[in-house]
């Protein structure tokens, strides 16, 4: 049996769907702690009931976590043991808890991880995209302009990109991914992992964007979207495009330079146009 230490915060991962994924150690900790801090106490009460547990509970969510922090710290300093859980998966991964954790570290107080499910890692493990280097980007901004700006900042990253998204925003997100990264990058959408309607959609960004607008099932439930990083081939293609544009832009109007560059490189017009307008600002035109 896991020995619970007084004055310690346990950060406990819980299932992302399938209740069978909770670890025996997580159950042992949740059985014994003095208090469970839950993102949504009703949701966690159901989970505890399923395992025949009942512990004192308090809510800790994004709207109260700063106010709650000092009283939690005080309980711990008095010697209580506390578990932090979220609605699903690993706390602090796109979930509440960061201010409390930072405070605990400032005060040099003990924190113990009880690891387990995490949608990002589960998706990476089955997507078939490179996993040796990846970057977790969580949720993209919901406003289109801000979302595209964030994506631009990731366009040159060679690591696999991992995003969280809800089904109802998937089509818009894939459209923006195509716009910024081009339609050819390999990608995956992992939907409802570990649940009844678990599915994995694989293909190029353009194919997935098309599929998402015609397949309503793809837009249901919880999703992880993964996109391969920028490849060396893509990098070389961009160099070729820059070389072509740097010759054409000083001697032709923008629209003609774009048209010719598309014909010479075989790249999509919106990609060429975007790069041409960026370069246009920097080039000394006659
Ligand atoms: N802390 C959680 C974790 O460890 O994965 C993530 C919490 S975040 C608020 C919720 C998002 O995680 C969802 O919108 C979805 O993008 C992703 N997610 C959670 N469960 C999932 C599942 N079963 N299948 C696919 N994505 C999931």
């Amino acid at each position: 049996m896991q020995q619970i230490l007084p004055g310690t915060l346990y950060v406990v991962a819980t299932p992302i769907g399938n209740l069978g994924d909770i670890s025996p150690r997580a159950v042992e900790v949740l059985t014994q702690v003095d208090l469970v801090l839950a993102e949504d106490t009703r949701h966690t009460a159901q989970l505890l009931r399923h395992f025949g547990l009942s512990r004192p509970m308090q809510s800790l969510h994004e709207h109260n976590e700063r106010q709650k922090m000092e009283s939690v710290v005080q309980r711990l300093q008095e010697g209580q043991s506390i578990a932090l859980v979220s609605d699903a998966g690993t706390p602090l991964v796109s979930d509440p808890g960061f201010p409390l954790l930072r405070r605990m570290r400032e005060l040099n107080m003990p924190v113990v991880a009880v690891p387990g499910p995490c949608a990002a890692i589960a998706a990476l493990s089955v997507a078939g995209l490179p996993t040796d280097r990846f970057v977790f980007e969580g949720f993209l901004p919901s406003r289109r302009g801000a979302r595209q700006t964030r994506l631009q900042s990731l366009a040159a990253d060679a690591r696999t990109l991992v995003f969280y998204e809800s089904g109802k925003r998937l089509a818009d997100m894939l459209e923006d991914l195509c716009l910024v990264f081009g339609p050819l990058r390999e990608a995956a959408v992992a939907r409802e992992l570990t649940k009844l309607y678990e599915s994995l959609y694989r293909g190029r960004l353009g194919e997935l964007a098309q599929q998402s607008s015609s397949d309503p099932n793809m837009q249901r439930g919880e999703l992880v979207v993964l996109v391969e990083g920028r490849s060396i081939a893509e990098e070389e293609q961009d160099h070729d495009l820059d070389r072509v544009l740097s010759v054409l832009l000083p001697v032709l109007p923008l629209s003609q330079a774009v048209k010719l560059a598309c014909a010479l490189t075989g790249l999509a017009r919106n990609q060429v146009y975007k790069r041409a307008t960026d370069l246009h600002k920097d080039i000394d035109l006659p």
Side-chain angles (χ1 to χ4, degrees):
M1 188 74 151
Q2 163 88 28
Q3 204 202 337
I4 294 297
L5 302 168
T8 301
L9 179 72
Y10 291 85
V11 181
V12 181
T14 56
I16 55 170
N18 189 324
L19 295 181
D21 290 336
I22 199 160
S23 73
R25 185 164 166 247
V27 174
E28 283 177 6
V29 168
L30 291 172
T31 308
Q32 297 176 69
V33 284
D34 297 306
L35 176 70
V36 176
L37 290 173
E39 186 181 2
D40 177 340
T41 50
R42 282 165 310 178
H43 184 97
T44 300
Q46 266 181 17
L47 179 80
L48 294 187
R49 242 191 330 271
H50 178 86
F51 292 101
L53 308 177
S54 159
R55 301 309 304 145
M57 243 190 295
Q58 283 188 11
S59 69
L60 186 105
H61 47 69
E62 58 172 332
H63 303 295
N64 74 357
E65 57 182 333
R66 282 173 198 282
Q67 298 115 269
K68 267 277 168 64
M69 199 166 67
E70 291 307 329
S71 70
V72 172
V73 166
Q74 196 182 337
R75 276 173 176 262
L76 288 159
Q77 282 169 335
E78 287 165 4
Q80 293 197 9
S81 55
I82 298 183
L84 172 68
V85 299
S86 64
D87 284 354
T90 301
L92 283 97
V93 178
S94 291
D95 267 340
F98 177 62
L100 175 61
L101 250 292
R102 191 150 65 174
R103 187 79 183 122
M104 297 285 294
R105 291 302 178 200
E106 271 167 17
L107 297 171
N108 225 355
M109 292 169 69
V111 181
V112 171
V114 183
C118 174
I121 300 298
L124 266 169
S125 73
V126 294
L129 291 170
T131 53
D132 49 345
R133 294 175 70 213
F134 61 87
V135 52
F136 175 64
E137 279 292 318
F139 289 96
L140 286 168
S142 54
R143 289 203 344 272
R144 177 149 273 179
R147 186 161 66 225
Q148 289 180 2
T149 306
R150 174 76 57 82
L151 291 175
Q152 303 280 6
S153 75
L154 298 168
D157 204 315
R159 297 170 292 181
T160 297
L161 305 169
V162 184
F163 303 97
Y164 280 166
E165 193 49 283
S166 74
K168 60 182 187 319
R169 293 199 319 190
L170 178 68
D172 284 350
M173 181 202 194
L174 285 170
E175 199 181 302
D176 284 346
L177 286 169
C178 281
L179 195 76
V180 178
F181 299 156
L184 297 180
R185 282 203 198 178
E186 290 287 337
V189 176
R191 184 175 83 92
E192 296 286 89
L193 288 161
T194 79
K195 302 187 201 174
L196 186 60
Y197 295 108
E198 169 166 2
S199 27
L200 184 86
Y201 302 83
R202 269 290 266 123
R204 296 190 183 273
L205 276 175
E207 294 161 352
L208 291 174
Q210 223 164 30
Q211 192 177 357
S212 76
S213 52
S214 61
D215 177 356
N217 280 338
M218 200 171 165
Q219 300 179 17
R220 294 204 176 100
E222 300 194 286
L223 311 166
V224 182
V225 178
L226 306 101
V227 185
E228 79 169 325
R230 188 184 194 220
S231 63
I232 291 173
E234 208 179 320
E235 209 170 301
E236 281 170 357
Q237 219 174 38
D238 289 351
H239 282 152
D240 286 348
L241 175 61
D242 281 9
R243 232 184 1 253
V244 168
L245 285 171
S246 66
V247 173
L248 298 178
L249 282 170
V251 294
L252 288 175
L254 181 71
S255 61
Q256 276 184 36
V258 168
K259 203 168 166 188
L260 212 50
C262 287
L264 289 168
T265 61
L267 294 172
R269 188 184 180 282
N270 54 10
Q271 186 186 349
V272 174
Y273 182 79
K274 160 101 198 35
R275 188 62 190 144
T277 46
D278 287 348
L279 289 177
H280 198 252
K281 290 177 217 140
D282 303 333
I283 288 177
D284 274 344
L285 295 171

